[in-house]
Amino acid sequence: MSNTAAPGSDAPPPLRTTRPSADEDAPPFPNPAMPLYPFLPRVATRHGLRMSYLDEGAGDTVVMLHGNPTWSFYYRNLVLSLRESYRCVVPDHIGCGLSDKPPLDRYDYSLKSRIDDLEWLLEERGLTKDLTLVLHDWGGMIGMGFAARHPDRIKRIVASNTGAFPLPPGKKLPRSLWWGRNTKLGAWLITRRNAFCKYAAKWCATRRPLPADVRAGYLAPYDTPAHRVAVLKFVQTIPLAPGDEGYDIVANTAAALDQFRTTPTLLLWGMKDFVFDHHFLEEWKRHFPHAEAHTWPDCGHYLLDDAGELAIMRVWEFLQRYPLS
C-alpha cells in the first residue's frame, strides 16, 4: 500500500520513523527562534490547513498542549529534557506558532475544532493508547476535552496553570480579558497593536523578566494582524455561562473528570498567575484529590520559564515514578 497521498487529499503524511530532510514538508512559517527552538517541525494537513508539530524522541508518548498566546515554543526546554527517554508530540494549534493562520471563513477557531484537530492528529499518527498529557492554559481544556472522549487512552496527566471546567466559584474574569472578549476596542488592541501577546511576554513571568530573545520567540509567530486571529478568538470564545460557544463542552468535560480519579496526576502552579490562580488550583484538587501538587509563590503563568529546571525536574520525576509498564 502506498504511503503517498493523492494530490489535493487531506490525508496526513505517513508516520515517520526518521527525521525529515530540512526542505521536506516544511511548516508554513520558518522557525523564528533558533537556537532556542532547535527542532525540525513536521506538518500534517487537514481540510487544506497545515498543522505544525514536534515529534521528538522515542518511548512512551507525552503530548504537550499549549495555550494562548503561546505556541510549542513554551515547551522547548521540557522537550529537550524528555526526548532522550520519551516521545514528545507537541502541536501548534491552527492559527498559532508555525501552523497555518487562516481567516475566519476557512476555520471557525472553536473549542470543538481544536479538540477535533488533536483527535485527528493523534489517530492519524497511530497514537491511540498510553498517552501522557501535559497541559497549559487553553491546552487544559483542549486536552481534557479530548480525554473525556477517550478516557481509556490517558495514563498520566500533568496540568500547569490551566483549567478543564467552568470558572471556579469566587473567580471573576480579569478586566483585561473582559475588554478583549467583549469590546471592539479590546479586539482592536489585540489584533492591531498586539497588546495581548506583548502583555503576556512582559508580565506572565514574575520571578524574573523573560530574556529579550525568549520574548522575541514568543512574539515572532504573531507578527501581523492577520496572524493574530487565533489570539483574539481564544479570548473572545472564553466560555463563561450556558449559551456561550463551547460552554457545553466545558460542562461535559468537567462532568467527566471523575473518570480520572485514579489516573496519576501532577499539578504544577505559579501562584502569581492573574488568571489561573489559586481558585483554579483548588478546583483541580477537588476533581483530582489524589494529585501531587507543587506550587511556586513567586512564579506566574509561564511557569516553565519562571521556575525553569525545577519544574522540569518535577515532571521528569513524576514520569519516572509512574512508568506505564
Side-chain angles (χ1 to χ4, degrees):
M1 182 173 63
S2 172
N3 280 331
T4 303
S9 170
D10 283 341
L15 179 65
R16 301 183 188 278
T17 56
T18 58
R19 298 178 67 86
S21 63
D23 60 349
E24 183 182 8
D25 291 336
F29 300 92
N31 182 351
M34 290 289 282
L36 296 177
Y37 186 80
F39 311 111
L40 185 60
R42 307 182 185 191
V43 174
T45 302
R46 181 174 186 246
H47 302 322
L49 297 176
R50 296 165 294 175
M51 176 184 288
S52 176
Y53 68 100
L54 302 182
D55 191 344
E56 295 278 329
D60 298 338
T61 303
V62 180
V63 181
M64 306 178 191
L65 302 173
H66 72 82
N68 187 42
T70 60
W71 53 295
S72 55
F73 181 78
Y74 177 73
Y75 289 114
R76 64 198 183 279
N77 292 324
L78 185 59
V79 172
L80 290 172
S81 296
L82 296 185
R83 67 180 179 179
E84 295 301 319
S85 301
Y86 299 94
R87 181 179 181 180
C88 301
V89 177
V90 196
D92 286 336
H93 306 306
I94 295 295
C96 303
L98 306 187
S99 292
D100 269 333
K101 299 177 175 64
L104 290 171
D105 61 355
R106 292 198 60 204
Y107 188 76
D108 67 5
Y109 291 92
S110 67
L111 175 57
K112 180 182 182 301
S113 292
R114 301 297 192 187
I115 299 171
D116 290 347
D117 291 342
L118 175 63
E119 181 179 60
W120 172 85
L121 177 67
L122 295 179
E123 289 185 355
E124 290 295 330
R125 282 359 182 223
L127 303 175
T128 58
K129 64 178 182 178
D130 296 338
L131 302 178
T132 299
L133 298 180
V134 180
L135 312 171
H136 182 250
D137 193 271
W138 265 99
M141 195 62 251
I142 296 167
M144 293 311 296
F146 167 79
R149 294 182 183 180
H150 305 287
D152 57 308
R153 302 182 186 182
I154 310 305
K155 301 304 180 184
R156 296 174 295 205
I157 298 169
V158 178
S160 176
N161 294 88
T162 186
F165 35 73
L167 207 63
K171 177 63 180 178
K172 295 182 178 180
L173 188 71
R175 183 167 293 276
S176 57
L177 286 181
W178 186 93
W179 275 91
R181 182 181 186 270
N182 299 306
T183 71
K184 290 182 179 179
L185 175 60
W188 183 84
L189 289 171
I190 289 172
T191 55
R192 306 302 300 184
R193 291 292 180 260
N194 205 18
F196 193 76
C197 295
K198 291 179 178 178
Y199 179 92
K202 184 174 182 179
W203 298 110
C204 283
T206 57
R207 173 177 282 182
R208 52 184 173 269
L210 293 176
D213 56 347
V214 175
R215 290 198 308 273
Y218 278 119
L219 293 173
Y222 309 111
D223 55 341
T224 69
H227 290 167
R228 299 170 195 149
V229 176
V231 178
L232 176 61
K233 294 304 293 183
F234 268 126
V235 175
Q236 289 183 332
T237 58
I238 296 173
L240 298 178
D244 288 348
E245 180 182 0
Y247 188 87
D248 57 335
I249 298 175
V250 174
N252 291 337
T253 299
L257 294 181
D258 281 350
Q259 299 177 83
F260 304 99
R261 283 192 169 234
T262 61
T263 304
T265 301
L266 175 67
L267 305 176
L268 304 174
W269 233 259
M271 300 304 289
K272 283 194 172 182
D273 191 325
F274 81 106
V275 179
F276 297 100
D277 58 10
H278 65 94
H279 295 92
F280 280 87
L281 175 58
E282 293 306 315
E283 191 71 359
W284 276 96
K285 289 181 177 179
R286 186 176 73 82
H287 286 288
F288 296 81
H290 65 290
E292 173 187 342
H294 298 273
T295 62
W296 285 263
D298 59 339
C299 290
H301 186 59
Y302 288 2
L303 182 67
L304 291 183
D305 288 292
D306 245 1
E309 292 182 0
L310 184 56
I312 291 172
M313 184 187 306
R314 295 289 181 243
V315 177
W316 170 262
E317 292 171 345
F318 170 76
L319 297 178
Q320 293 289 298
R321 195 155 50 247
Y322 295 99
L324 298 189
S325 59

